Amino acid sequence: GNIYTSTEYPPAESIPMHNENSYSAHWPARLFFLCDTAAETGGATPIADSRAMYRLLPADLRERFEGGVTYTRAFREGLGLTWQEAFQTEDRQAVADYCAANGQTYEWTDEGLRTRHVRPSFVAEPHTGATVWFNQANLFHVSSLGEEVSEALLELYPEEDLPRNASFADGSPIPRADLDTIKATYDEVSYAFPWQPGDIMVINNMLMAHGREPFTGKRRTLVAMT
């Protein structure tokens, strides 16, 4: 009951580097990956040292992120998840209770629901005491969907109604240059190996970020979290 297939996402696209649930008040300590079916080409699960990320990012960028990251989501029919799918309930009070317990603000709209919460950009990993870069600004930001898709969404919706987005803690936009620097630094510190059927990888979710490379053919990776 606690084993999942890895995130379904178009094979031709990459999933950006991230620490699982780092946008949330609660996250898994360890991730267990099992290669059930290896892709014909590509499909690696790259990993990156979150301590190195923090050390290598420019000091002025870390200062801009010091207050944390604001994560916003807009749930509606026909674009992304509905609030019923995301929260696994039809009960609005259950949504309100969840938001209150997890430090989120929420607003019911004619189309569905908006949520907003602020989480740290970097934290101390408890076993080592090391400061780690620990957020999903690069994955939540609308630009992670690619230039064509993000421009189309911004033409259709104001920023507060995007399916998901990230900004600085005060709500000001994150410059694309900062996101480019984050991606380039992840590229610098990441490592990927080709999966073979039966391979298992176990990572400390705070010390190591992970992603997914594009692939061809069938690929099935199972994931458990503790």
Side-chain angles (χ1 to χ4, degrees), residues 51-70:
R51 293 164 291 188
M53 277 294 296
Y54 179 79
R55 288 196 310 268
L56 293 175
L57 286 168
D60 61 330
L61 185 150
R62 297 200 307 259
E63 287 175 10
R64 287 191 289 278
F65 276 89
E66 193 165 8
V69 176
T70 297

Side-chain angles (χ1 to χ4, degrees), residues 72-76 107 109 113-116 154 157-165:
T72 56
R73 298 189 71 173
F75 303 94
R76 62 168 66 80
E107 176 187 4
T109 68
L113 172 71
R114 292 193 199 107
T115 63
R116 180 182 186 276
L154 287 167
Y157 302 104
E159 288 207 12
E160 64 269 20
D161 282 327
L162 291 170
R164 70 182 188 195
N165 201 13

